[in-house]
Amino acid sequence: MKKPKNYNLIIGGSITAIMLIFMLTGIFFTPHDPNTMDGGLKFAGASFTHPFGNDNFGRDLLSRVMTGSLTTLYVAALTVLIGTFFGVVIGALTGYFGGIIDEVLMRINDTVFAFPSILLALVFVSIFGSGRNNVILALGIAFVPSFARIVRGEFLKYKKMDYITSARLAGAGNLRIMFFHILPNTFTVLLPAVLIGFNNAVLAEAGMSYLGIGVQPPDPSLGRMLSEAQPFLFRAPAMALAPGIVLILIILGFSLLSDGSMKSLSAQSLQNRGNK
């Protein structure tokens, strides 16, 4: 029987690949210096040398969008990396060992989880100051509880299965069982959660930069560019449209990719169980 095509995975993967190429190109090449001002090009429209036009300081919008999206990618990726790493460690420890470790860590986790992640990040930034590194650390800490709860639930499910009992009787140690026998089986749930978390991190960074407490000038980010474009929305709509469309495409691509990967992994898991 022919498998139905996973269009969400195909379309999401294609959009994500295009956007990643666009963003990563900014590491090696931008048409112009994103911070160079030219008074003669203020609010200039699209042209061959400036395809997206210029902003209120005469800076090239295409170059700023490329650099800004790269900043957003960097912040979101490190945020998810921090949240996933510590979330997996906490979830694995609490789910596998239980007892006092579970009680203490999960009560702390639940306390943090009770507050919206963006609110926790705002509190953190208000105490330690704004800037890219503080935003990464604040959002990373705020994202830990959601990943910890996911991993804990999976460990509680798998640790009592027969193959884990067999591995334990064969002499496998706790760390080997946790990270070689159980953790790989959590990827079906964890991978879509990571992709969703990346989307949430992009939105959180954009929101904080829009409010002026995230990435600081002269470094561009998509949220900061949207904030700068607000007073000139009707005079120079490209200032808002360029970063806004890129932001939408990033979120759309990862959303479709997350949904598609979830369906694909679930179907693969069911097929593996059927083969067994």
Side-chain angles (χ1 to χ4, degrees), residues 203-217:
L203 287 171
E205 186 280 325
M208 293 178 71
S209 295
Y210 180 85
L211 294 172
I213 55 175
V215 177
Q216 297 298 302

PDB file of all heavy atoms in Angstrom, residues 203-217:
ATOM      1  N   LEU A 203       9.619  33.830  18.529  1.00  0.00           N
ATOM      2  CA  LEU A 203       8.589  34.810  18.882  1.00  0.00           C
ATOM      3  C   LEU A 203       8.962  35.568  20.159  1.00  0.00           C
ATOM      4  O   LEU A 203       8.748  36.789  20.256  1.00  0.00           O
ATOM      5  CB  LEU A 203       7.241  34.106  19.067  1.00  0.00           C
ATOM      6  CG  LEU A 203       6.557  33.618  17.787  1.00  0.00           C
ATOM      7  CD1 LEU A 203       5.359  32.753  18.132  1.00  0.00           C
ATOM      8  CD2 LEU A 203       6.123  34.803  16.934  1.00  0.00           C
ATOM      9  N   ALA A 204       9.508  34.855  21.147  1.00  0.00           N
ATOM     10  CA  ALA A 204       9.880  35.494  22.408  1.00  0.00           C
ATOM     11  C   ALA A 204      10.997  36.511  22.186  1.00  0.00           C
ATOM     12  O   ALA A 204      10.947  37.636  22.713  1.00  0.00           O
ATOM     13  CB  ALA A 204      10.311  34.439  23.423  1.00  0.00           C
ATOM     14  N   GLU A 205      12.005  36.119  21.415  1.00  0.00           N
ATOM     15  CA  GLU A 205      13.110  37.046  21.137  1.00  0.00           C
ATOM     16  C   GLU A 205      12.613  38.258  20.363  1.00  0.00           C
ATOM     17  O   GLU A 205      12.989  39.400  20.663  1.00  0.00           O
ATOM     18  CB  GLU A 205      14.210  36.334  20.350  1.00  0.00           C
ATOM     19  CG  GLU A 205      15.462  37.167  20.125  1.00  0.00           C
ATOM     20  CD  GLU A 205      15.340  38.168  18.989  1.00  0.00           C
ATOM     21  OE1 GLU A 205      14.659  37.854  17.981  1.00  0.00           O
ATOM     22  OE2 GLU A 205      15.911  39.276  19.101  1.00  0.00           O
ATOM     23  N   ALA A 206      11.772  38.012  19.365  1.00  0.00           N
ATOM     24  CA  ALA A 206      11.237  39.118  18.575  1.00  0.00           C
ATOM     25  C   ALA A 206      10.415  40.057  19.447  1.00  0.00           C
ATOM     26  O   ALA A 206      10.500  41.283  19.325  1.00  0.00           O
ATOM     27  CB  ALA A 206      10.390  38.572  17.418  1.00  0.00           C
ATOM     28  N   GLY A 207       9.612  39.488  20.347  1.00  0.00           N
ATOM     29  CA  GLY A 207       8.796  40.304  21.236  1.00  0.00           C
ATOM     30  C   GLY A 207       9.632  41.132  22.185  1.00  0.00           C
ATOM     31  O   GLY A 207       9.358  42.329  22.403  1.00  0.00           O
ATOM     32  N   MET A 208      10.672  40.532  22.761  1.00  0.00           N
ATOM     33  CA  MET A 208      11.514  41.265  23.705  1.00  0.00           C
ATOM     34  C   MET A 208      12.325  42.354  22.998  1.00  0.00           C
ATOM     35  O   MET A 208      12.489  43.460  23.527  1.00  0.00           O
ATOM     36  CB  MET A 208      12.433  40.286  24.433  1.00  0.00           C
ATOM     37  CG  MET A 208      11.687  39.329  25.348  1.00  0.00           C
ATOM     38  SD  MET A 208      12.754  38.122  26.161  1.00  0.00           S
ATOM     39  CE  MET A 208      13.626  39.165  27.325  1.00  0.00           C
ATOM     40  N   SER A 209      12.819  42.044  21.801  1.00  0.00           N
ATOM     41  CA  SER A 209      13.553  43.054  21.036  1.00  0.00           C
ATOM     42  C   SER A 209      12.625  44.169  20.582  1.00  0.00           C
ATOM     43  O   SER A 209      13.019  45.335  20.530  1.00  0.00           O
ATOM     44  CB  SER A 209      14.249  42.402  19.835  1.00  0.00           C
ATOM     45  OG  SER A 209      15.244  41.501  20.251  1.00  0.00           O
ATOM     46  N   TYR A 210      11.387  43.815  20.260  1.00  0.00           N
ATOM     47  CA  TYR A 210      10.399  44.822  19.871  1.00  0.00           C
ATOM     48  C   TYR A 210      10.142  45.801  21.014  1.00  0.00           C
ATOM     49  O   TYR A 210       9.989  47.004  20.807  1.00  0.00           O
ATOM     50  CB  TYR A 210       9.101  44.136  19.459  1.00  0.00           C
ATOM     51  CG  TYR A 210       8.003  45.096  19.045  1.00  0.00           C
ATOM     52  CD1 TYR A 210       7.926  45.579  17.740  1.00  0.00           C
ATOM     53  CD2 TYR A 210       7.039  45.515  19.963  1.00  0.00           C
ATOM     54  CE1 TYR A 210       6.932  46.459  17.360  1.00  0.00           C
ATOM     55  CE2 TYR A 210       6.043  46.403  19.598  1.00  0.00           C
ATOM     56  CZ  TYR A 210       5.992  46.869  18.285  1.00  0.00           C
ATOM     57  OH  TYR A 210       5.005  47.760  17.914  1.00  0.00           O
ATOM     58  N   LEU A 211      10.129  45.267  22.238  1.00  0.00           N
ATOM     59  CA  LEU A 211       9.900  46.115  23.417  1.00  0.00           C
ATOM     60  C   LEU A 211      11.144  46.894  23.835  1.00  0.00           C
ATOM     61  O   LEU A 211      11.076  47.730  24.729  1.00  0.00           O
ATOM     62  CB  LEU A 211       9.418  45.246  24.581  1.00  0.00           C
ATOM     63  CG  LEU A 211       8.043  44.588  24.409  1.00  0.00           C
ATOM     64  CD1 LEU A 211       7.778  43.611  25.551  1.00  0.00           C
ATOM     65  CD2 LEU A 211       6.942  45.637  24.334  1.00  0.00           C
ATOM     66  N   GLY A 212      12.283  46.573  23.203  1.00  0.00           N
ATOM     67  CA  GLY A 212      13.507  47.309  23.494  1.00  0.00           C
ATOM     68  C   GLY A 212      14.357  46.729  24.592  1.00  0.00           C
ATOM     69  O   GLY A 212      15.300  47.367  25.053  1.00  0.00           O
ATOM     70  N   ILE A 213      14.057  45.489  25.035  1.00  0.00           N
ATOM     71  CA  ILE A 213      14.834  44.879  26.114  1.00  0.00           C
ATOM     72  C   ILE A 213      15.567  43.629  25.644  1.00  0.00           C
ATOM     73  O   ILE A 213      16.079  42.873  26.451  1.00  0.00           O
ATOM     74  CB  ILE A 213      13.942  44.533  27.323  1.00  0.00           C
ATOM     75  CG1 ILE A 213      12.772  43.649  26.896  1.00  0.00           C
ATOM     76  CG2 ILE A 213      13.448  45.788  27.996  1.00  0.00           C
ATOM     77  CD1 ILE A 213      11.925  43.188  28.057  1.00  0.00           C
ATOM     78  N   GLY A 214      15.594  43.430  24.338  1.00  0.00           N
ATOM     79  CA  GLY A 214      16.302  42.285  23.787  1.00  0.00           C
ATOM     80  C   GLY A 214      17.614  42.724  23.158  1.00  0.00           C
ATOM     81  O   GLY A 214      18.442  43.367  23.801  1.00  0.00           O
ATOM     82  N   VAL A 215      17.785  42.368  21.901  1.00  0.00           N
ATOM     83  CA  VAL A 215      18.982  42.768  21.165  1.00  0.00           C
ATOM     84  C   VAL A 215      19.009  44.285  21.037  1.00  0.00           C
ATOM     85  O   VAL A 215      18.006  44.915  20.701  1.00  0.00           O
ATOM     86  CB  VAL A 215      18.993  42.113  19.766  1.00  0.00           C
ATOM     87  CG1 VAL A 215      20.185  42.582  18.954  1.00  0.00           C
ATOM     88  CG2 VAL A 215      19.003  40.589  19.894  1.00  0.00           C
ATOM     89  N   GLN A 216      20.165  44.875  21.323  1.00  0.00           N
ATOM     90  CA  GLN A 216      20.285  46.331  21.365  1.00  0.00           C
ATOM     91  C   GLN A 216      20.984  46.876  20.120  1.00  0.00           C
ATOM     92  O   GLN A 216      21.812  46.194  19.512  1.00  0.00           O
ATOM     93  CB  GLN A 216      21.070  46.747  22.607  1.00  0.00           C
ATOM     94  CG  GLN A 216      20.390  46.372  23.905  1.00  0.00           C
ATOM     95  CD  GLN A 216      19.044  47.046  24.076  1.00  0.00           C
ATOM     96  OE1 GLN A 216      18.942  48.264  24.054  1.00  0.00           O
ATOM     97  NE2 GLN A 216      17.999  46.248  24.244  1.00  0.00           N
ATOM     98  N   PRO A 217      20.628  48.114  19.716  1.00  0.00           N
ATOM     99  CA  PRO A 217      21.294  48.753  18.575  1.00  0.00           C
ATOM    100  C   PRO A 217      22.804  48.885  18.849  1.00  0.00           C
ATOM    101  O   PRO A 217      23.205  49.001  20.012  1.00  0.00           O
ATOM    102  CB  PRO A 217      20.626  50.132  18.501  1.00  0.00           C
ATOM    103  CG  PRO A 217      19.351  49.992  19.260  1.00  0.00           C
ATOM    104  CD  PRO A 217      19.610  48.962  20.312  1.00  0.00           C
TER     105      PRO A 217
END
